[in-house]
Coordinates of all heavy atoms in Angstrom, one line a residue:
G62 N -15.8 4.1 -3.5 CA -16.8 5.0 -3.6 C -17.1 5.5 -5.0 O -16.2 5.6 -5.7
V63 N -18.4 5.9 -5.2 CA -18.7 6.6 -6.5 C -19.6 7.7 -6.2 O -20.5 7.6 -5.3 CB -19.3 5.5 -7.5 CG1 -20.6 4.9 -7.0 CG2 -19.5 6.3 -8.8
A64 N -19.5 8.8 -6.8 CA -20.4 10.0 -6.5 C -20.4 10.8 -7.9 O -19.5 10.9 -8.6 CB -19.8 10.9 -5.4
V65 N -21.6 11.4 -8.0 CA -21.8 12.4 -9.1 C -21.9 13.7 -8.5 O -22.7 14.0 -7.8 CB -23.1 11.9 -9.9 CG1 -23.3 13.0 -11.1 CG2 -23.1 10.6 -10.5
T66 N -21.0 14.6 -8.8 CA -20.8 15.9 -8.1 C -21.2 17.0 -9.1 O -20.7 18.1 -8.7 CB -19.4 16.1 -7.4 OG1 -18.4 15.9 -8.5 CG2 -19.3 14.9 -6.3
T67 N -21.9 16.9 -10.1 CA -22.0 17.9 -11.1 C -22.8 19.2 -10.4 O -22.4 20.2 -10.6 CB -22.9 17.5 -12.3 OG1 -22.2 16.3 -12.7 CG2 -23.0 18.5 -13.4
F68 N -23.9 18.9 -9.8 CA -24.7 19.8 -9.1 C -24.6 19.9 -7.6 O -24.5 18.7 -6.9 CB -26.2 19.7 -9.6 CG -26.3 19.7 -11.1 CD1 -26.6 18.6 -11.8 CD2 -26.2 20.9 -11.8 CE1 -26.8 18.6 -13.1 CE2 -26.3 20.9 -13.2 CZ -26.6 19.7 -13.9
A69 N -24.8 21.0 -7.0 CA -24.7 21.1 -5.6 C -26.1 20.7 -4.8 O -26.1 20.7 -3.6 CB -24.2 22.5 -5.1
T70 N -27.1 20.5 -5.7 CA -28.4 20.2 -5.1 C -28.7 18.7 -5.2 O -28.1 18.0 -5.9 CB -29.5 21.0 -5.9 OG1 -29.4 20.7 -7.3 CG2 -29.4 22.5 -5.7
A71 N -29.7 18.3 -4.5 CA -30.1 16.9 -4.3 C -30.8 16.4 -5.6 O -31.8 17.1 -6.0 CB -30.9 16.5 -3.1
W72 N -30.4 15.4 -6.3 CA -31.2 14.8 -7.3 C -30.6 13.3 -7.4 O -29.6 12.9 -7.1 CB -30.8 15.5 -8.6 CG -29.5 15.5 -9.1 CD1 -28.3 16.1 -8.3 CD2 -28.9 14.9 -10.2 NE1 -27.1 15.8 -9.2 CE2 -27.4 15.2 -10.2 CE3 -29.3 14.1 -11.2 CZ2 -26.6 14.6 -11.2 CZ3 -28.5 13.5 -12.3 CH2 -27.1 13.9 -12.2
N73 N -31.6 12.5 -7.9 CA -31.4 11.1 -7.9 C -30.9 10.7 -9.2 O -31.6 10.3 -10.2 CB -32.7 10.3 -7.7 CG -32.6 8.8 -7.4 OD1 -31.4 8.3 -7.5 ND2 -33.6 8.1 -7.2
Y74 N -29.6 10.6 -9.4 CA -28.9 10.3 -10.6 C -29.1 8.9 -11.1 O -28.9 8.6 -12.3 CB -27.4 10.6 -10.6 CG -26.5 10.0 -9.5 CD1 -26.0 8.8 -9.6 CD2 -26.3 10.8 -8.3 CE1 -25.2 8.2 -8.7 CE2 -25.5 10.2 -7.3 CZ -25.0 9.0 -7.6 OH -24.2 8.4 -6.5
T75 N -29.5 8.0 -10.1 CA -29.7 6.5 -10.6 C -30.9 6.4 -11.4 O -31.2 5.4 -11.9 CB -29.8 5.7 -9.3 OG1 -30.8 6.1 -8.4 CG2 -28.5 5.8 -8.5
E76 N -31.8 7.5 -11.5 CA -32.9 7.4 -12.3 C -32.7 7.7 -13.8 O -33.4 7.5 -14.6 CB -34.0 8.4 -11.8 CG -34.6 8.0 -10.5 CD -35.7 9.0 -10.0 OE1 -35.8 10.1 -10.7 OE2 -36.3 8.7 -9.2
I77 N -31.5 8.3 -14.0 CA -31.0 8.5 -15.4 C -30.2 7.3 -15.9 O -29.4 6.7 -15.3 CB -30.0 9.7 -15.4 CG1 -30.7 11.0 -14.7 CG2 -29.6 10.0 -16.8 CD1 -32.0 11.4 -15.5
A78 N -30.5 6.9 -17.2 CA -30.1 5.7 -17.7 C -28.6 5.7 -17.7 O -28.0 4.6 -17.4 CB -30.6 5.5 -19.2
Y79 N -27.8 6.7 -18.1 CA -26.4 6.6 -18.2 C -25.8 6.3 -16.8 O -25.0 5.5 -16.6 CB -25.8 8.0 -18.5 CG -24.3 8.0 -18.7 CD1 -23.6 7.6 -19.8 CD2 -23.5 8.3 -17.4 CE1 -22.1 7.6 -19.7 CE2 -22.2 8.3 -17.5 CZ -21.5 7.9 -18.7 OH -20.2 7.9 -18.6
F80 N -26.2 7.1 -15.8 CA -25.7 6.8 -14.4 C -26.0 5.4 -13.8 O -25.3 4.8 -13.2 CB -26.1 8.0 -13.5 CG -25.7 9.4 -13.9 CD1 -26.5 10.3 -14.3 CD2 -24.3 9.6 -13.9 CE1 -26.2 11.5 -14.8 CE2 -23.8 10.9 -14.4 CZ -24.7 11.8 -14.9
S81 N -27.3 5.0 -14.0 CA -27.8 3.7 -13.6 C -26.9 2.7 -14.1 O -26.4 1.7 -13.4 CB -29.2 3.6 -14.0 OG -29.7 2.3 -13.5
R82 N -26.6 2.6 -15.4 CA -25.9 1.7 -16.0 C -24.4 1.8 -15.7 O -23.8 0.7 -15.5 CB -26.1 1.7 -17.6 CG -27.4 1.4 -18.1 CD -27.6 1.7 -19.5 NE -26.8 1.0 -20.4 CZ -26.9 1.0 -21.7 NH1 -27.9 1.6 -22.3 NH2 -26.0 0.3 -22.4
A83 N -23.9 2.9 -15.5 CA -22.5 3.1 -15.0 C -22.4 2.6 -13.7 O -21.4 1.8 -13.3 CB -22.1 4.5 -15.1
V84 N -23.2 2.9 -12.7 CA -23.0 2.4 -11.4 C -23.2 0.9 -11.2 O -22.4 0.3 -10.6 CB -24.2 3.1 -10.4 CG1 -24.3 2.4 -9.1 CG2 -23.8 4.6 -10.2
T85 N -24.2 0.4 -12.0 CA -24.3 -1.0 -12.1 C -23.0 -1.8 -12.6 O -22.5 -2.7 -12.0 CB -25.4 -1.5 -13.0 OG1 -26.6 -1.0 -12.5 CG2 -25.5 -3.1 -13.0
A86 N -22.5 -1.3 -13.7 CA -21.2 -1.8 -14.3 C -20.0 -1.6 -13.2 O -19.2 -2.5 -13.1 CB -20.9 -1.2 -15.6
A87 N -20.0 -0.5 -12.7 CA -18.9 -0.2 -11.7 C -19.0 -1.2 -10.4 O -17.9 -1.7 -9.9 CB -18.9 1.2 -11.2
T88 N -20.2 -1.4 -10.0 CA -20.4 -2.3 -8.9 C -19.9 -3.6 -9.3 O -19.1 -4.3 -8.5 CB -21.9 -2.3 -8.5 OG1 -22.3 -1.0 -8.2 CG2 -22.1 -3.3 -7.3
S89 N -20.3 -4.2 -10.5 CA -19.9 -5.5 -10.9 C -18.3 -5.7 -11.0 O -17.8 -6.5 -10.6 CB -20.5 -5.8 -12.2 OG -20.1 -7.1 -12.8
A90 N -17.8 -4.5 -11.6 CA -16.2 -4.6 -11.8 C -15.6 -4.5 -10.4 O -14.5 -5.1 -10.3 CB -15.8 -3.3 -12.6
A91 N -16.1 -3.8 -9.5 CA -15.5 -3.7 -8.1 C -15.5 -5.0 -7.5 O -14.6 -5.5 -6.9 CB -16.1 -2.6 -7.3
H92 N -16.8 -5.7 -7.6 CA -16.9 -6.9 -6.9 C -16.0 -8.0 -7.5 O -15.5 -8.8 -6.6 CB -18.4 -7.4 -7.0 CG -19.4 -6.6 -6.2 ND1 -20.8 -6.8 -6.2 CD2 -19.2 -5.6 -5.3 CE1 -21.3 -5.9 -5.4 NE2 -20.4 -5.2 -4.8
A93 N -15.9 -8.0 -8.8 CA -14.9 -8.9 -9.4 C -13.5 -8.8 -8.9 O -12.8 -9.8 -9.0 CB -15.0 -8.7 -11.0
R94 N -13.1 -7.7 -8.4 CA -11.9 -7.4 -7.9 C -11.7 -7.5 -6.5 O -10.8 -7.2 -5.7 CB -11.3 -6.1 -8.3 CG -10.9 -6.1 -9.8 CD -10.8 -4.7 -10.3 NE -10.4 -4.5 -11.7 CZ -11.2 -4.7 -12.8 NH1 -12.4 -5.1 -12.5 NH2 -10.7 -4.7 -14.0
G95 N -12.9 -7.9 -5.7 CA -12.9 -8.1 -4.4 C -13.2 -6.9 -3.4 O -12.8 -6.7 -2.3
Y96 N -13.8 -5.8 -4.1 CA -14.1 -4.6 -3.5 C -15.6 -4.4 -3.3 O -16.3 -4.8 -4.3 CB -13.5 -3.4 -4.1 CG -12.0 -3.3 -4.0 CD1 -11.2 -4.0 -4.7 CD2 -11.3 -2.4 -3.0 CE1 -9.8 -4.0 -4.6 CE2 -10.0 -2.3 -2.9 CZ -9.3 -3.1 -3.7 OH -7.8 -3.1 -3.5
A97 N -16.2 -3.8 -2.3 CA -17.4 -3.2 -2.3 C -17.4 -1.9 -2.9 O -16.4 -1.2 -3.0 CB -17.9 -3.1 -0.8
L98 N -18.6 -1.5 -3.3 CA -18.8 -0.2 -3.9 C -19.9 0.6 -3.2 O -21.0 0.2 -3.1 CB -19.1 -0.1 -5.4 CG -19.2 1.1 -6.2 CD1 -17.8 1.7 -6.3 CD2 -19.9 1.1 -7.5
T99 N -19.5 1.8 -2.6 CA -20.5 2.7 -1.9 C -21.0 3.8 -2.8 O -20.1 4.5 -3.4 CB -19.8 3.2 -0.6 OG1 -19.4 2.2 0.3 CG2 -20.8 4.2 0.0
T100 N -22.2 4.0 -3.0 CA -22.7 5.0 -3.9 C -23.2 6.2 -3.0 O -24.0 6.0 -2.2 CB -23.9 4.5 -4.7 OG1 -23.5 3.3 -5.5 CG2 -24.5 5.5 -5.7
L101 N -22.5 7.3 -3.2 CA -22.8 8.4 -2.5 C -24.0 9.4 -3.1 O -24.1 9.3 -4.2 CB -21.6 9.4 -2.2 CG -20.7 9.0 -1.0 CD1 -20.0 7.7 -1.3 CD2 -19.6 10.2 -0.8
P102 N -24.8 10.1 -2.2 CA -25.8 11.0 -2.8 C -25.2 12.1 -3.5 O -24.0 12.4 -3.2 CB -26.7 11.4 -1.5 CG -25.6 11.2 -0.4 CD -24.8 10.0 -0.7
A103 N -26.0 12.8 -4.3 CA -25.4 13.9 -5.2 C -25.4 15.1 -4.4 O -24.9 16.2 -5.0 CB -26.2 13.9 -6.5
D104 N -26.0 15.3 -3.2 CA -26.1 16.6 -2.7 C -24.9 17.1 -2.0 O -24.6 16.8 -0.8 CB -27.3 16.7 -1.7 CG -27.6 18.0 -1.1 OD1 -26.9 19.0 -1.4 OD2 -28.7 18.1 -0.4
R105 N -24.0 17.8 -2.7 CA -22.7 18.2 -2.2 C -22.9 19.3 -1.1 O -22.0 19.4 -0.2 CB -21.8 18.8 -3.2 CG -21.3 17.6 -4.2 CD -20.3 18.3 -5.2 NE -20.9 19.2 -6.2 CZ -20.8 20.5 -6.2 NH1 -20.1 21.1 -5.3 NH2 -21.3 21.2 -7.2
A106 N -24.0 20.1 -1.2 CA -24.0 21.1 -0.2 C -24.4 20.6 1.2 O -24.1 21.2 2.2 CB -25.1 22.1 -0.8
A107 N -25.2 19.5 1.2 CA -25.7 19.1 2.5 C -24.9 18.0 3.1 O -24.9 17.8 4.3 CB -27.1 18.7 2.3
D108 N -24.1 17.3 2.3 CA -23.4 16.1 2.8 C -21.9 16.3 2.7 O -21.4 16.3 1.5 CB -23.8 14.9 2.0 CG -23.2 13.6 2.5 OD1 -22.5 13.7 3.5 OD2 -23.5 12.5 1.9
D109 N -21.1 16.5 3.8 CA -19.8 16.6 3.7 C -19.1 15.3 4.4 O -18.1 15.4 5.0 CB -19.2 17.8 4.3 CG -19.7 17.9 5.9 OD1 -20.4 17.0 6.3 OD2 -19.2 18.8 6.5
S110 N -19.7 14.2 4.2 CA -19.3 12.9 4.7 C -17.9 12.5 4.1 O -17.2 11.6 4.7 CB -20.3 11.8 4.5 OG -20.5 11.6 3.0
W111 N -17.5 13.2 3.0 CA -16.2 12.7 2.4 C -15.0 13.1 3.3 O -13.9 12.5 3.2 CB -16.0 13.4 1.1 CG -16.2 14.9 1.1 CD1 -15.4 15.8 1.5 CD2 -17.4 15.5 0.7 NE1 -15.9 17.1 1.3 CE2 -17.2 16.9 0.8 CE3 -18.7 15.2 0.3 CZ2 -18.1 18.0 0.6 CZ3 -19.6 16.0 0.0 CH2 -19.4 17.5 0.1
H112 N -15.2 14.0 4.4 CA -14.2 14.3 5.3 C -13.8 13.0 6.1 O -12.6 13.0 6.6 CB -14.6 15.4 6.4 CG -14.8 16.8 5.6 ND1 -13.6 17.5 5.4 CD2 -15.7 17.5 5.2 CE1 -14.0 18.7 4.8 NE2 -15.2 18.6 4.6
S113 N -14.7 12.1 6.3 CA -14.4 11.0 7.1 C -14.8 9.7 6.4 O -14.7 8.5 7.1 CB -15.1 11.0 8.5 OG -16.4 11.2 8.4
L114 N -15.2 9.7 5.2 CA -15.6 8.5 4.4 C -14.4 7.5 4.4 O -13.4 7.7 4.0 CB -16.0 9.0 3.0 CG -16.6 7.9 2.1 CD1 -17.9 7.4 2.6 CD2 -16.6 8.4 0.6
A115 N -14.9 6.3 4.7 CA -14.0 5.1 4.8 C -13.9 4.4 3.4 O -14.7 3.5 3.2 CB -14.3 4.2 5.9
V116 N -13.2 4.8 2.5 CA -13.0 4.3 1.3 C -11.4 4.2 0.9 O -10.7 5.0 1.3 CB -13.7 4.9 0.1 CG1 -15.2 4.9 0.3 CG2 -13.3 6.5 0.0
D117 N -11.2 3.2 0.0 CA -9.8 3.2 -0.4 C -9.5 4.0 -1.6 O -8.4 4.5 -1.9 CB -9.4 1.7 -0.8 CG -9.4 0.8 0.3 OD1 -9.0 1.2 1.5 OD2 -9.9 -0.4 0.3
G118 N -10.6 4.4 -2.3 CA -10.5 5.2 -3.6 C -11.8 5.6 -4.0 O -12.9 5.1 -3.6
M119 N -11.9 6.6 -4.8 CA -13.2 7.2 -5.2 C -13.1 7.4 -6.8 O -12.3 7.8 -7.3 CB -13.4 8.6 -4.6 CG -13.9 8.6 -3.2 SD -15.8 8.0 -3.1 CE -16.4 9.2 -4.1
L120 N -14.3 6.9 -7.3 CA -14.7 7.3 -8.8 C -15.7 8.4 -8.7 O -16.8 8.5 -8.2 CB -15.3 6.0 -9.4 CG -16.0 6.2 -10.7 CD1 -15.0 6.8 -11.8 CD2 -16.5 5.0 -11.2
I121 N -15.3 9.6 -9.3 CA -16.1 10.9 -9.3 C -16.6 11.1 -10.7 O -15.8 11.2 -11.6 CB -15.4 11.9 -8.6 CG1 -15.0 11.6 -7.2 CG2 -16.2 13.2 -8.7 CD1 -14.2 12.7 -6.5
V122 N -17.9 11.2 -10.9 CA -18.4 11.4 -12.2 C -18.8 12.9 -12.4 O -19.4 13.4 -11.5 CB -19.7 10.5 -12.3 CG1 -20.3 10.6 -13.8 CG2 -19.4 9.1 -12.0

Side-chain angles (χ1 to χ4, degrees):
V63 61
V65 180
T66 58
T67 311
F68 303 106
T70 55
W72 61 294
N73 187 359
Y74 55 87
T75 60
E76 293 180 348
I77 305 299
Y79 178 91
F80 300 111
S81 175
R82 291 170 61 171
V84 168
T85 299
T88 302
S89 177
H92 290 178
R94 291 165 172 80
Y96 287 81
L98 186 76
T99 296
T100 305
L101 274 69
D104 190 352
R105 291 188 285 110
D108 183 5
D109 59 354
S110 60
W111 52 82
H112 288 281
S113 56
L114 183 67
V116 294
D117 295 323
M119 278 291 300
L120 169 58
I121 301 183
V122 184

